[in-house]
Amino acid sequence: MTQAPTFAVISGAQVHEVIGGHEERVTRTVEAAYRLHGEGQTVNPDSYFLRFPDRPSDRIIALPASVKGEIGVHGIKWISSFPGNVAAGIPRASAVLILNDAETGYPFACLESSIISAARTAASAALAAVTLADLRGERPRRVGFVGTGLIARYIHTYLAGNGFAFDELGVHDLSAEHAEGFKGYLEGAGPGTVTIHGSAHDLVRASDLVVFATVAGEPHVTDPAWFAHNPLVLHVSLRDLSPEIILSAWNVVDDVEHCLKAGTSPHLAEQKTGGRDFVAGTLYDVLTGAIEPPADRPVVFSPFGLGVLDLAVARYVYDEVAASGALSTVPGFFHEMRRYG
């Protein structure tokens, strides 16, 4: 008889221990998941949003997914976004992730997942930045961050962990306190002159690599002329850029169907034009050489964020913790195992 798997709980401290300092390894794990997704070896349904009529800014999102290949796992991430937490001194997002056995369907692990979510987001952005910049022939040495939260910090860490070196680093945030805090982090993280910019315009014009990591619900950057110097843009927060900017750029996404919905900037561009011709292709297309970014246009990467990436990183964490002998299982978690008692 097939035995039900044991059930383990992996804490955020354990996740951090496995992931911290291993940015290139995590990026390779995310790349493997993107390649499996491009090859049709994944199932990645739409995300499901739990919203609250009396708290419109808050939400909890379910991201179910399945990955074949060496990852070989099903699962779901359950991640909340409560922006008011920031004022209370705790992070906006919190999350758990469940891994299910590919053969029996039994859940076999629950992992703290805010770190996994941040790491997979940052690894995705870094992978795109490395691949696109190298194809363009030069890695940018001037980077600017619009938005200075946890995701911005992780993206900087993953850019550095994947070989980027910056002479100039720009910071812009609507909160002067948060901008100062992020400036302090960047100054302690490595070399380069750090400048706080009073406007997104000044930051964009001073940067060859621009990272948007905000909580913007609609476009607030509207003038294509800001991007006349043809920077590489990591549009991680998805809703910062006007349709006019998207239509003037060379656009790559992680998944066309997922990205062009829910009021994202590419979705607004599709609604404006009635088509999708402005999307050159996916990151998988870039990785496999099917498309190549131009040097004479702004290049914008807009990643919706796929659940299969979370599963890949979570599986990596689980395997590392299990191999170290530090896996904490819950005895008797599965109790009713006989059909007739």
Side-chain angles (χ1 to χ4, degrees), residues 3 22-23 64 72 83 106 109 116-117 166 202 220 268 319 341:
Q3 296 295 312
H22 299 282
E23 290 81 19
Y106 269 79
I116 289 172
S117 189
F166 300 112
D202 292 346
H220 57 98
L268 296 180
D319 290 343

Side-chain angles (χ1 to χ4, degrees), residues 19 22-35 119-131 154-155 157-163 283 287 309 312-313 316:
I19 288 179
H22 299 282
E23 290 81 19
E24 191 172 3
R25 175 75 181 274
V26 175
T27 304
R28 297 285 76 76
T29 299
V30 166
E31 179 181 355
Y34 269 129
R35 290 183 180 275
R120 68 85 152 144
T121 300
S124 167
L127 174 64
V130 167
T131 308
Y154 266 76
I155 290 175
T157 299
Y158 271 76
L159 289 171
N162 280 276
L283 182 55
L287 291 169
L309 307 182
V313 176
Y316 162 66

